[in-house]
Amino acid sequence: MDSSDNPRRATLADVAREAGVSSSTASVVFSGKTKVSDVTSERVRAAAAALGYSGPDPLAASLRTGRSGIVAVVLEGQLRTAFLDPVTIPMMDGLADGLASLGAGILLLRDEPGEAGAPALTTAPVDAVVLIGCSGRTRESLDIVRSRGLPVVVIEGDAGEEVPRITLDNRHAATGIARHVHDLGHREIAIVTLPLDGDRQRGHIEPTRWESATVEVTVDRFAGVSEVFPDARAVSAGGSSIDEGLIAGRSLLDDPADRPTAVLAQSDLLAAGVIRAAEELGLRVPEDVSIAGFDGVAVDGIGPHVLTTMVQPAAEKGRAAGAQIARMLRGETAESLDLVCTFRAGTTTGPVPAR
Amino acid sequence: MDSSDNPRRATLADVAREAGVSSSTASVVFSGKTKVSDVTSERVRAAAAALGYSGPDPLAASLRTGRSGIVAVVLEGQLRTAFLDPVTIPMMDGLADGLASLGAGILLLRDEPGEAGAPALTTAPVDAVVLIGCSGRTRESLDIVRSRGLPVVVIEGDAGEEVPRITLDNRHAATGIARHVHDLGHREIAIVTLPLDGDRQRGHIEPTRWESATVEVTVDRFAGVSEVFPDARAVSAGGSSIDEGLIAGRSLLDDPADRPTAVLAQSDLLAAGVIRAAEELGLRVPEDVSIAGFDGVAVDGIGPHVLTTMVQPAAEKGRAAGAQIARMLRGETAESLDLVCTFRAGTTTGPVPAR
DNA sequence: ACAGCGTATCGAATCGATTCGATTTCCCGA
DNA sequence: TCGGGAAATCGAATCGATTCGATACGCTGT
């Protein structure tokens, strides 16, 4: 309205002059770092209002204090890819919470090839960085961050020693759910896995294929199940979605002669797809086939079922990352955390059907 | 490793001294704004490497140039609320694209009560702001932004004149899909709406109820359908999800005596829920009941069906917002855009069943 | 040999706040 | 009446780069 195209916006110095105080005093009025008399404070505020001054310029303040109040989150590839996973969202929310105590905002960065020469990470005014799902190009991001000397935390990824990381006890949790199924009497089970690497290839997984798998989550969850069912067959999905689960589920349940009595999916979305596949084929869950998931997210549209699954503390992952960042910013040393999943018994697993 | 706890990180001046050039020259080597001889450039780079200097400090650079390369996106409430809507994600992706030409990152801000006195928006070093779904508290955000004199764009919300906005032709698009259903011969139709206001109350909507509705999208899409079907009955869902659609669908399709031949849902997720409700009741889609959605997002898990819907240019919304921001930052004036949805004929609508 | 010119580099001002030691003010007790 | 000390305010340095007019240098054409 009135302040949009002035020749120059008012600065703190202008306000101070207008109020008849030094700029140091004016500064303190806004930051509250020191006591100022009420009368002075009032005069400064009045002057600010008169000049249309809306508080200290964040850029200048940042330079002086060395803090921008921004934490970068580096996601792989397109945002849509990252946010397709329903776990990501509560995690981000948790991160926002964990960072809130710092009053820090979240800067979304894609670790893209970066057309304009330097990746955004080089030139972004951030106080710290959170790397999610460290792999491939994220590695480069890490190098940049290290050379800038920024505090960094890695969520679900390995970035070498010295970098604090937040992980999940994927392997142990997977063993837990496998044991649950085993206790129910199941012996013929199948696993629907997440992608093994960037290829996202679907289909049956030969045991030797695991050697070239790079996605840690997938490998760990598989290894966990293997402890209980060393010979379980596995098919890989092309991603974590209901439709992918449906495809995998069909391929597993199609042949009545060779049908597992239980299917362990590596994500809840996949499990939901498998349930749909079972329903399609006229199989009852859990009477004819037991199905378990992983993650413990709210999956829409599986009707009356409550999925048996391992609930991962998604929001907690984010909060923990935020907390570690906060520590590092205070100069304390951060530590790595391995969060534990908790078993949730649902209605989708039951005793092995009488043959 | 080596640069983590030095007494002081190297500055551009240090590098310049080490290389035996002036700091202005050193600056130019990194920014590339002016020609520098190869030999000088090389000397500077070598000096930088020797001192472990990783490029100009973004904070200092920002102060001088007045640009931080960051655009804030203000979301209402929890992140999870905002990202639950599958339209949000491609939109953010589009925004990221639209902003990429500026090399700008996206700062996620929640318009919270803001415990620590000033909301983050006051102190965030941003170049511009995108407000999403302007309502209630977002209004305050707008005031802050205005007083800071920052360029701002509103997506799907009204922020008064002078603020460029990106909108959808919701009303017209809704009319289009209603006409499609009308052309198929349907006369008894029902609408499943998105929430009418913050209450998110479920259930039948009395015509007078519309007067107090505050969510623009809901009202517009309803009004659009009303042009074709003035007497259509409407039920409100408690949100945009498959489960909410299921609930609404059951209530509409339950009674065979009083069953609409077509259901128009205000979102694809709701439509998916209605489809499930129909299937539950043994109704075939579209033979027994036609169902249409809105949005054109990829909905997982409705099996072989392709939803008849209005495809909204979600990514384009974000891209357009990004483009307008870019214009404002270049000093040009931005304009409001009303994007159009396109009809997609699917397999979920068909001729009205013979009675 | 020199005016004229293009190129590479330099100097110094500037961006707008924060910070902390120094200074002033004022009140109280001896 | 004056010294002592707490409270409020001031001054000046500082954060680390960018920018642009000025300068120096080496060529070319006549």
Side-chain angles (χ1 to χ4, degrees):
Chain A
M1 227 353 123
D2 54 320
S3 61
S4 48
D5 50 4
N6 269 1
R8 196 173 56 89
R9 295 189 69 76
T11 71
L12 184 61
D14 297 330
V15 173
R17 194 176 318 114
E18 175 84 7
V21 301
S22 76
S23 54
S24 40
T25 303
S27 172
V28 171
V29 168
F30 289 102
S31 72
K33 293 233 190 276
T34 305
K35 272 267 161 296
V36 237
S37 74
D38 289 351
V39 43
T40 309
S41 169
E42 206 42 61
R43 250 214 333 277
V44 171
R45 273 177 219 292
L51 296 176
Y53 179 79
S54 52
D57 180 330
L59 268 50
S62 293
L63 173 59
R64 185 65 242 254
T65 60
R67 287 285 163 80
S68 66
I70 294 182
V71 174
V73 173
V74 179
L75 301 164
E76 303 186 67
Q78 302 273 84
L79 295 187
R80 78 188 87 212
T81 315
F83 282 102
L84 230 50
D85 184 353
V87 176
T88 305
I89 297 167
M91 190 191 70
M92 293 291 287
D93 228 354
L95 185 61
D97 280 350
L99 257 24
S101 64
L102 294 171
I106 295 180
L107 181 67
L108 248 36
L109 252 30
R110 305 189 285 191
D111 61 346
E112 281 192 289
E115 54 270 33
L121 194 47
T122 320
T123 59
V126 298
D127 294 340
V129 177
V130 177
L131 256 33
I132 295 180
C134 204
S135 80
R137 227 180 11 258
T138 315
R139 203 84 204 180
E140 292 174 26
S141 306
L142 185 63
D143 289 340
I144 297 174
V145 173
R146 299 293 291 280
S147 82
R148 283 184 61 183
L150 294 171
V152 53
V153 171
V154 172
I155 296 182
E156 300 232 64
D158 184 4
E161 296 305 317
E162 308 189 42
V163 178
R165 53 173 179 254
I166 310 293
T167 49
L168 236 43
D169 64 339
N170 280 312
R171 180 170 183 146
H172 183 253
T175 304
I177 205 156
R179 194 158 291 149
H180 159 77
V181 169
H182 190 269
D183 289 350
L184 287 170
H186 296 269
R187 294 300 177 267
E188 299 297 317
I189 72 128
I191 306 173
V192 178
T193 77
L194 294 165
L196 275 68
D197 48 36
D199 286 354
R200 305 185 155 260
Q201 207 177 6
R202 294 197 192 110
H204 181 73
I205 306 176
E206 300 296 332
T208 53
R209 176 70 178 76
W210 288 106
E211 289 156 23
S212 62
T214 57
V215 180
E216 218 171 312
V217 195
T218 309
V219 176
D220 287 352
R221 292 186 187 172
F222 176 79
V225 174
S226 294
E227 285 184 21
V228 180
F229 297 106
D231 303 320
R233 88 191 110 134
V235 298
S236 167
S240 184
S241 71
I242 296 183
D243 284 341
E244 286 289 340
L246 185 56
I247 294 170
R250 280 186 194 135
S251 79
L252 284 171
L253 301 174
D254 197 29
D255 179 8
D258 183 34
R259 183 181 285 156
T261 64
V263 177
L264 269 32
Q266 288 193 340
S267 86
D268 285 353
L269 288 180
L270 289 175
V274 177
I275 291 175
R276 299 223 64 175
E279 287 177 348
E280 258 184 28
L281 294 166
L283 299 171
R284 291 162 306 157
V285 177
E287 291 81 1
D288 298 321
V289 57
S290 286
I291 297 171
F294 204 116
D295 284 344
V297 302
V299 183
D300 233 26
I302 54 170
H305 294 297
V306 176
L307 199 57
T308 296
T309 194
M310 273 290 170
V311 182
Q312 68 155 292
E316 190 50 40
K317 275 197 299 188
R319 227 186 316 273
Q324 295 309 313
I325 294 275
R327 296 186 57 164
M328 296 172 92
L329 253 21
R330 279 196 305 266
E332 305 167 27
T333 60
E335 52 193 21
S336 293
L337 255 53
D338 193 45
L339 301 175
V340 308
C341 302
T342 57
F343 178 72
R344 181 182 79 196
T347 59
T348 57
T349 48
V352 64
R355 180 67 59 160
Chain B
M1 267 274 165
D2 53 322
S3 62
S4 47
D5 50 4
N6 268 1
R8 194 174 58 88
R9 294 189 69 76
T11 72
L12 184 61
D14 297 330
V15 173
R17 195 176 316 115
E18 175 84 4
V21 301
S22 76
S23 56
S24 40
T25 302
S27 172
V28 171
V29 167
F30 290 102
S31 72
K33 291 231 191 276
T34 305
K35 272 269 163 295
V36 223
S37 73
D38 290 351
V39 42
T40 310
S41 169
E42 206 42 62
R43 254 218 325 281
V44 172
R45 273 177 219 291
L51 296 176
Y53 179 79
S54 52
D57 180 331
L59 268 53
S62 292
L63 172 59
R64 184 62 241 250
T65 60
R67 286 284 163 81
S68 65
I70 294 184
V71 174
V73 173
V74 180
L75 302 164
E76 302 185 67
Q78 302 273 83
L79 294 187
R80 78 187 88 213
T81 317
F83 282 102
L84 229 50
D85 183 356
V87 176
T88 305
I89 297 167
M91 190 191 68
M92 293 291 288
D93 228 354
L95 185 60
D97 280 350
L99 257 23
S101 64
L102 294 171
I106 296 181
L107 181 67
L108 249 34
L109 252 30
R110 305 189 286 190
D111 60 348
E112 283 192 288
E115 56 269 35
L121 195 47
T122 320
T123 59
V126 298
D127 294 340
V129 177
V130 177
L131 256 33
I132 294 181
C134 203
S135 82
R137 228 180 12 257
T138 314
R139 204 83 204 178
E140 292 175 26
S141 306
L142 186 63
D143 289 340
I144 297 174
V145 173
R146 299 294 290 278
S147 83
R148 282 183 62 184
L150 293 172
V152 53
V153 171
V154 173
I155 296 183
E156 300 232 63
D158 185 3
E161 296 305 317
E162 305 189 44
V163 179
R165 53 172 178 256
I166 310 294
T167 49
L168 237 42
D169 64 339
N170 280 311
R171 180 168 183 148
H172 184 252
T175 303
I177 205 156
R179 193 157 293 150
H180 160 77
V181 169
H182 190 269
D183 287 350
L184 288 170
H186 296 269
R187 293 299 178 269
E188 299 297 317
I189 71 128
I191 305 174
V192 178
T193 76
L194 294 165
L196 274 67
D197 47 36
D199 288 352
R200 306 186 151 259
Q201 208 178 4
R202 292 197 192 108
H204 182 72
I205 306 175
E206 298 296 332
T208 54
R209 177 69 178 78
W210 288 106
E211 290 155 23
S212 62
T214 58
V215 180
E216 218 170 312
V217 195
T218 310
V219 176
D220 287 352
R221 292 186 185 173
F222 176 80
V225 174
S226 294
E227 284 184 22
V228 179
F229 298 106
D231 304 319
R233 84 190 112 135
V235 299
S236 168
S240 184
S241 70
I242 296 183
D243 285 342
E244 286 290 339
L246 186 56
I247 294 170
R250 280 186 193 133
S251 78
L252 283 171
L253 301 174
D254 197 28
D255 179 7
D258 184 33
R259 183 180 287 155
T261 64
V263 177
L264 268 32
Q266 286 192 342
S267 85
D268 285 352
L269 289 180
L270 289 175
V274 177
I275 291 175
R276 299 224 61 174
E279 286 176 350
E280 257 184 29
L281 294 166
L283 297 171
R284 290 163 306 156
V285 177
E287 290 81 0
D288 298 323
V289 58
S290 285
I291 296 170
F294 204 116
D295 283 346
V297 302
V299 183
D300 234 25
I302 53 169
H305 294 298
V306 176
L307 199 57
T308 295
T309 194
M310 273 291 169
V311 182
Q312 69 155 291
E316 190 50 40
K317 276 198 298 190
R319 225 185 319 270
Q324 295 309 312
I325 294 272
R327 297 186 56 163
M328 297 173 91
L329 254 19
R330 279 197 304 265
E332 305 167 25
T333 61
E335 52 194 22
S336 293
L337 255 52
D338 193 45
L339 301 176
V340 308
C341 302
T342 57
F343 178 71
R344 182 182 75 197
T347 61
T348 58
T349 47
V352 63
R355 181 68 58 161

